[in-house]
Amino acid sequence: MAAAAECDVVMAATEPELHDDEEAKSPTPLTSHPSVPLLEAESFKEQGNAYYAKKDYNEAYNYYTKAIDMCPKNASYYGNRAATLMMLGKFREALGDAQQSVRLDDSFVRGHLREGKCHLSLGNAMAACRSFQRALELDHKNAQAQQEFKNANAVIEYEKIAETDFEKRDFRKVVFCMDRALEFAPACHRFKILKAECLAMLGRYPEAQSVASDILRMDSTNADALYVRGLCLYYEDCIEKAVQFFVQALRMAPDHEKACIACRNAKALKAKKEDGNKAFKEGNYKLAYELYTEALGIDPNNIKTNAKLYCNRGTVNSKLRKLDDAIEDCSSAVKLDATYIKAYLRRAQCYMDTEQYEEAVRDYEKVYQTEKTKEHKQLLKNAQVELKKSKRKDYYKILGVDKNASEDEIKKAYRKRALMHHPDRHSGASAEVQKEEEKKFKEVGEAFTILSDPKKKTRYDSGQDLDEEGMNMGDFDANNIFKAFFGGPGGFSFEASGPGNFFFQFG
């Protein structure tokens, strides 16, 4: 609107007083004295000019209308009213008056300029070029006509570039072109709609909604604006509300192809997602997986809904114990929506289940930074403990028992592993093998020392440092643990009872 006003001011500068507009031909009176209607019309015009100069465009409009009613064949009256309507932002009405002015007087340069300016403001750059060309034919030195002709051609070029870039899905470039075009065509709904659609495709929903809402305030039946409003809601995963706007757009324009496609996609997505959720709740994970996969194939442009579908499918995969697939699905979800907390939590749990603790900690840190709740803090703490535990020796693994092993199971495991790795059993092996078996024998002793002591086991399981107990695991003697476990007078040896067979014997 401001851009239009600035251009009109420039136009007014070439005609400082509208009533001195002598280039428009008025009907020649039949007598030597002007008729009463003509005198009254001129009086109305002068009053209109006075209000125009004061920027009271509504009153100016009223007086120009009175002048036209008195003398409907005067081109300058229509030209002045067109200028007033342009200042009021009513370019379509202004266009009608400008066209009438040049129909009455084709040599009316300012009438052609105003017609061209109205065409350009409304986005019809080709028609604007024709009007400016006619003005230049009448006055080839007219600076305003020359500049406006260049502006109209610039808009035509921006339109061409935008059309190509829209096909390439370079929506950012289209928005740029439409912003430039709208500087010359501020009243063009078509340019605004294209810009809004591209803003929606770029995920800039509030901006797109604002543009569409502005148009709907002026024209509540604008199918394109209704479509864009629906598109924003659709991409924000408000699918039910989106469908309502698409349906409304189709009522206004039954052949609106984009609204038709979007409405069909929205309904299909909603149905597939709901069916998938139902199958999941019923425990039919295989069917749920298939339904979520089908939903993901409906519209790759719907980022938020697809992020949720990937996360849902990841949850299904985790239930099916396909943890790597679950992690991949959750990664796809956060790639589409970096703010999707639920996907980070699901992936973190899968990382925990696959003992990828560093990755789990990273995800829980991301979650806690975003939502500092007690629950998220505890999840992060648990992951950090497991990470710390994973970096030390796994005594359960060394003994070959489960983390929930009983005291008897731990003793049996120690007996088996200690006898298996005792140095005497490997006295005939190479130095390298003897060294490796001695190391394993020592680790088995460490594991038993910790896991057979309830207090130490509790500290170990909770991830606490065992050194805080004053116990340096590098100083103890595995042989002493072995002797204490097996008992006997102190001497022991492994003796062969046959090829490859050994038996334990106390001295």
Side-chain angles (χ1 to χ4, degrees):
M1 184 63 198
E6 290 169 8
C7 291
D8 290 337
V9 170
V10 172
M11 192 176 292
T14 64
E15 42 178 7
E17 294 184 30
L18 294 175
H19 66 280
D20 287 335
D21 197 348
E22 296 177 355
E23 65 171 299
K25 299 173 183 177
S26 300
T28 303
L30 296 175
T31 64
S32 58
H33 300 287
S35 65
V36 173
L38 181 57
L39 288 173
E40 288 186 20
E42 281 297 307
S43 175
F44 288 139
K45 174 185 174 182
E46 288 174 7
Q47 292 179 74
N49 290 349
Y51 281 112
Y52 186 95
K54 294 177 184 178
K55 301 187 185 301
D56 188 345
Y57 302 117
N58 286 309
E59 278 302 305
Y61 172 85
N62 291 334
Y63 279 98
Y64 291 142
T65 300
K66 290 178 181 180
I68 290 171
D69 290 341
M70 297 301 296
C71 287
K73 299 296 183 182
N74 189 303
S76 69
Y77 297 170
Y78 285 100
N80 285 1
R81 192 169 72 171
T84 302
L85 287 166
M86 290 169 70
M87 299 306 287
L88 290 168
K90 298 179 179 180
F91 292 101
R92 291 199 180 279
E93 294 175 54
L95 177 61
D97 276 352
Q99 289 174 325
Q100 179 63 11
S101 74
V102 297
R103 274 195 292 267
L104 291 169
D105 180 6
D106 186 53
S107 65
F108 187 15
V109 174
R110 288 173 188 164
H112 288 293
L113 283 172
R114 286 174 182 139
E115 180 186 1
K117 187 64 180 173
C118 288
H119 278 309
L120 185 57
S121 295
L122 292 166
N124 192 345
M126 293 296 291
C129 281
R130 290 192 291 270
S131 295
F132 296 138
Q133 281 177 324
R134 179 56 183 153
L136 287 169
E137 289 171 5
L138 295 168
D139 180 7
H140 68 278
K141 292 184 179 180
N142 189 297
Q144 185 180 354
Q146 291 171 353
Q147 183 58 53
E148 295 291 0
F149 184 73
K150 289 180 181 178
N151 293 346
N153 278 294
V155 171
I156 290 172
E157 189 61 27
Y158 284 130
E159 282 191 81
K160 289 179 181 177
I161 295 170
E163 184 179 353
T164 301
D165 288 326
F166 189 87
E167 291 297 321
K168 294 178 181 177
R169 302 185 66 78
D170 188 350
F171 302 121
R172 200 176 304 277
K173 184 79 172 291
V174 178
V175 170
F176 172 82
C177 288
M178 289 301 95
D179 279 338
R180 300 291 78 75
L182 284 164
E183 291 174 5
F184 303 114
C188 181
H189 286 181
R190 182 164 50 86
F191 292 169
K192 290 179 180 179
I193 288 295
L194 180 56
K195 174 185 174 180
E197 184 177 359
C198 291
L199 287 171
M201 299 300 284
L202 291 168
R204 294 160 63 178
Y205 307 120
E207 295 173 75
Q209 289 271 29
S210 177
V211 174
S213 296
D214 286 344
I215 293 173
L216 289 170
R217 273 192 288 271
M218 293 181 280
D219 178 11
S220 62
T221 65
N222 189 297
D224 291 323
L226 290 167
Y227 160 71
V228 170
R229 285 290 304 275
L231 195 66
C232 291
L233 290 165
Y234 172 63
Y235 285 147
E236 290 182 289
D237 198 40
C238 300
I239 294 180
E240 195 166 339
K241 288 183 179 179
V243 169
Q244 293 174 7
F245 275 97
F246 293 144
V247 169
Q248 194 175 350
L250 289 168
R251 285 200 193 105
M252 300 299 109
D255 296 330
H256 199 296
E257 185 178 357
K258 289 183 177 179
C260 184
I261 293 171
C263 190
R264 184 169 63 244
N265 286 344
K267 289 180 178 179
L269 261 180
K270 184 174 181 290
K272 286 290 182 185
K273 185 180 177 184
E274 288 177 351
D275 288 345
N277 293 346
K278 182 182 178 183
F280 180 84
K281 288 177 183 177
E282 293 174 351
N284 192 342
Y285 302 130
K286 184 178 179 181
L287 177 59
Y289 177 90
E290 292 173 357
L291 289 166
Y292 289 141
T293 301
E294 289 173 12
L296 282 165
I298 292 172
D299 185 2
N301 295 320
N302 195 322
I303 292 172
K304 282 204 170 182
T305 301
N306 287 342
K308 291 183 178 181
L309 288 168
Y310 272 119
C311 187
N312 287 359
R313 197 173 73 174
T315 303
V316 171
N317 277 322
S318 69
K319 291 289 185 182
L320 294 170
R321 304 311 295 168
K322 297 179 178 180
L323 298 179
D324 289 338
D325 289 342
I327 289 170
E328 186 177 347
D329 276 342
C330 291
S331 296
S332 295
V334 298
K335 186 176 180 180
L336 291 176
D337 183 0
T339 66
Y340 193 12
I341 296 299
K342 187 176 179 181
Y344 284 109
L345 288 170
R346 172 60 58 193
R347 186 172 70 176
Q349 184 57 57
C350 290
Y351 280 140
M352 292 290 286
D353 292 341
T354 54
E355 299 184 0
Q356 300 179 67
Y357 300 119
E358 287 187 7
E359 290 82 355
V361 167
R362 186 180 63 238
D363 276 355
Y364 283 132
E365 285 176 340
K366 172 76 173 178
V367 170
Y368 185 62
Q369 287 168 5
T370 306
E371 294 183 358
K372 295 185 182 295
T373 67
K374 289 183 179 180
E375 180 186 0
H376 295 159
K377 185 177 182 179
Q378 188 59 49
L379 288 170
L380 173 59
K381 184 178 179 181
N382 293 344
Q384 290 170 333
V385 168
E386 292 301 323
L387 174 60
K388 184 177 180 181
K389 287 162 63 176
S390 72
K391 292 182 179 297
R392 24 167 236 188
K393 291 179 182 178
D394 186 343
Y395 290 138
Y396 291 102
K397 187 174 182 180
I398 288 171
L399 288 183
V401 295
D402 186 79
K403 291 181 180 181
N404 297 316
S406 65
E407 184 178 347
D408 285 342
E409 288 173 330
I410 290 172
K411 286 181 179 179
K412 289 179 181 178
Y414 173 70
R415 176 187 296 275
K416 178 180 177 182
R417 295 297 174 104
L419 291 173
M420 183 187 300
H421 299 296
H422 195 284
D424 286 357
R425 184 169 188 175
H426 304 280
S427 58
S430 66
E432 185 177 350
V433 171
Q434 286 186 40
K435 186 176 181 180
E436 181 63 25
E437 292 298 327
E438 185 177 351
K439 177 184 175 184
K440 291 179 179 179
F441 179 68
K442 182 178 179 181
E443 288 178 341
V444 168
E446 286 180 25
F448 180 69
T449 299
I450 300 303
L451 300 183
S452 62
D453 184 316
K455 186 177 179 181
K456 290 186 176 69
K457 183 177 183 295
T458 299
R459 291 183 63 84
Y460 175 78
D461 288 342
S462 64
Q464 298 180 57
D465 290 326
L466 295 172
D467 289 342
E468 293 177 8
E469 286 282 301
M471 179 178 180
N472 187 338
M473 299 308 296
D475 292 341
F476 87 105
D477 189 336
N479 283 314
N480 289 337
I481 303 298
F482 185 86
K483 292 175 183 177
F485 182 85
F486 284 99
F492 59 90
S493 64
F494 283 90
E495 294 183 5
S497 61
N501 296 315
F502 293 87
F503 66 92
F504 178 77
Q505 183 181 49
F506 286 102

